[in-house]
Amino acid sequence: MRGSDKRFVFKLKDPYMDKSLYSDPTQCPSCGLIYHKKRWINNSELLKNIKENEKRIEQKDCPACRKIKDKYPLGIVEIKGEFVSKKNEEIHSRVKHIAADEYIHNPLERIISVKDEGDKITIETTTEHLAEKIGKSIAKTFKKNIKITFSESDKFVRVFVGE
């Protein structure tokens, strides 16, 4: 392969995921997650053990809570069409279920907001992965078209689901 044929692939960074901001252990005062061994986890037993064995637990908002407070989504899902008003409750239930499942695997994946405007639902998420997962699931469940657009310059995805 010649030098000019090489493709440069780089990973876009989430500006809220700066691990140097957090010491181990840190607890998020907003949601209760614990930063331990370079990961945010939801574990009450670990928190109890840390409190018994550690002198001090730093208190600082986790990246997800900071994004929610700043209204800084990394994913937006737009679900649009006549089916939205007809299947509204089912769509909302599906979205909540997906978010709950993803929270188990990564508690920093959360829904920031949901706007319901009759034939259109707009969902903002803290991660691109959650937005993509919601969009794909809704499109598959209701047999609708999907368009996923990733930003080239920022860590961000926009997902359109509809007719």
Side-chain angles (χ1 to χ4, degrees):
M1 182 187 306
R2 294 180 357 187
S4 62
D5 293 338
K6 290 182 183 176
R7 305 254 187 234
F8 292 98
V9 179
F10 62 94
K11 189 173 181 180
L12 295 171
K13 293 209 170 232
D14 179 342
Y16 285 75
M17 292 298 287
D18 184 353
K19 292 181 181 177
S20 67
L21 293 175
Y22 304 102
S23 60
D24 190 343
T26 297
Q27 182 180 25
C28 176
S30 300
C31 69
L33 290 182
I34 306 158
Y35 182 74
H36 183 60
K37 295 184 180 179
K38 300 181 182 179
R39 295 197 55 188
W40 285 97
I41 54 176
N42 184 17
N43 185 324
S44 57
E45 284 299 313
L46 174 64
L47 180 61
K48 183 180 172 186
N49 289 340
I50 289 172
K51 284 182 177 179
E52 288 173 358
N53 298 315
E54 301 278 338
K55 292 179 182 152
R56 184 176 149 259
I57 299 174
E58 188 174 330
Q59 297 289 311
K60 200 177 267 192
D61 280 334
C62 71
C65 287
R66 288 175 46 221
K67 288 176 195 173
I68 292 166
K69 286 178 182 178
D70 293 348
K71 294 178 176 54
Y72 188 88
L74 293 187
I76 295 179
V77 182
E78 259 187 41
I79 307 165
K80 193 173 182 178
E82 287 182 31
F83 78 102
V84 173
S85 56
K86 294 175 185 171
K87 301 286 186 176
N88 193 291
E89 193 174 311
E90 193 177 342
I91 292 168
H92 283 283
S93 176
R94 185 83 194 118
V95 169
K96 285 180 188 173
H97 178 75
I98 295 162
D101 278 355
E102 291 305 305
Y103 180 85
I104 292 167
H105 302 293
N106 180 356
L108 297 179
E109 293 197 19
R110 299 196 212 145
I111 292 174
I112 295 173
S113 69
V114 177
K115 285 185 195 169
D116 197 333
E117 303 171 70
D119 68 342
K120 178 180 166 187
I121 297 173
T122 305
I123 304 160
E124 296 179 329
T125 64
T126 58
T127 65
E128 323 87 311
H129 178 258
L130 181 57
E132 194 175 355
K133 185 103 174 189
I134 289 169
K136 286 179 177 179
S137 178
I138 296 297
K140 183 178 179 183
T141 301
F142 297 99
K143 296 174 180 51
K144 299 299 175 186
N145 295 323
I146 185 169
K147 180 182 178 189
I148 301 172
T149 308
F150 289 91
S151 170
E152 291 182 23
S153 59
D154 296 315
K155 193 167 179 75
F156 180 80
V157 67
R158 191 174 289 273
V159 181
F160 297 96
V161 177
E163 322 289 351

Short mmCIF file of all heavy atoms in Angstrom, two decimals, residues 10-11 55 71 80 82 84 110 131:
data_model
loop_
_atom_site.label_atom_id
_atom_site.label_comp_id
_atom_site.label_asym_id
_atom_site.label_seq_id
_atom_site.Cartn_x
_atom_site.Cartn_y
_atom_site.Cartn_z
N PHE A 10 -9.61 7.80 12.99
CA PHE A 10 -9.45 8.26 14.36
C PHE A 10 -10.79 8.18 15.06
O PHE A 10 -11.84 8.27 14.44
CB PHE A 10 -8.87 9.67 14.42
CG PHE A 10 -9.73 10.72 13.77
CD1 PHE A 10 -10.62 11.44 14.53
CD2 PHE A 10 -9.65 10.96 12.41
CE1 PHE A 10 -11.43 12.40 13.94
CE2 PHE A 10 -10.45 11.92 11.81
CZ PHE A 10 -11.35 12.65 12.58
N LYS A 11 -10.71 7.99 16.33
CA LYS A 11 -11.92 7.86 17.14
C LYS A 11 -12.25 9.22 17.74
O LYS A 11 -11.42 9.85 18.37
CB LYS A 11 -11.67 6.83 18.24
CG LYS A 11 -12.90 6.45 18.99
CD LYS A 11 -12.62 5.32 19.95
CE LYS A 11 -13.87 4.95 20.68
NZ LYS A 11 -13.67 3.88 21.60
N LYS A 55 -11.57 6.31 53.59
CA LYS A 55 -11.80 7.48 54.42
C LYS A 55 -12.69 8.51 53.71
O LYS A 55 -13.51 9.15 54.31
CB LYS A 55 -10.47 8.12 54.80
CG LYS A 55 -9.66 7.27 55.73
CD LYS A 55 -8.36 7.91 56.06
CE LYS A 55 -7.58 6.97 56.97
NZ LYS A 55 -6.16 7.12 56.85
N LYS A 71 -27.90 19.65 29.01
CA LYS A 71 -28.71 19.38 27.81
C LYS A 71 -27.80 19.19 26.60
O LYS A 71 -27.94 19.86 25.57
CB LYS A 71 -29.73 20.50 27.58
CG LYS A 71 -30.77 20.58 28.67
CD LYS A 71 -31.74 21.72 28.43
CE LYS A 71 -32.85 21.81 29.41
NZ LYS A 71 -32.57 21.85 30.79
N LYS A 80 -41.17 9.57 13.25
CA LYS A 80 -42.17 10.44 12.64
C LYS A 80 -43.08 9.65 11.70
O LYS A 80 -42.62 8.76 10.99
CB LYS A 80 -41.45 11.54 11.86
CG LYS A 80 -42.31 12.68 11.41
CD LYS A 80 -41.45 13.77 10.81
CE LYS A 80 -42.32 14.95 10.42
NZ LYS A 80 -41.52 16.04 9.87
N GLU A 82 -47.65 8.77 10.68
CA GLU A 82 -49.00 8.53 11.21
C GLU A 82 -49.01 7.45 12.28
O GLU A 82 -49.80 7.50 13.23
CB GLU A 82 -49.95 8.13 10.08
CG GLU A 82 -50.33 9.27 9.17
CD GLU A 82 -51.31 8.83 8.10
OE1 GLU A 82 -52.11 7.90 8.37
OE2 GLU A 82 -51.26 9.40 7.00
N VAL A 84 -47.09 6.96 14.63
CA VAL A 84 -46.64 7.45 15.94
C VAL A 84 -47.84 7.73 16.84
O VAL A 84 -47.86 7.31 18.00
CB VAL A 84 -45.73 8.69 15.81
CG1 VAL A 84 -45.43 9.28 17.16
CG2 VAL A 84 -44.44 8.32 15.09
N ARG A 110 -28.21 6.96 28.86
CA ARG A 110 -29.52 7.37 29.38
C ARG A 110 -30.26 8.27 28.41
O ARG A 110 -29.67 8.86 27.52
CB ARG A 110 -29.34 8.14 30.70
CG ARG A 110 -28.68 7.30 31.75
CD ARG A 110 -28.85 7.89 33.10
NE ARG A 110 -27.67 7.54 33.88
CZ ARG A 110 -27.13 8.32 34.77
NH1 ARG A 110 -27.63 9.50 35.02
NH2 ARG A 110 -26.07 7.93 35.44
N ALA A 131 -29.00 5.93 21.10
CA ALA A 131 -29.86 6.49 20.05
C ALA A 131 -29.98 5.51 18.89
O ALA A 131 -31.08 5.26 18.38
CB ALA A 131 -29.29 7.82 19.56
#
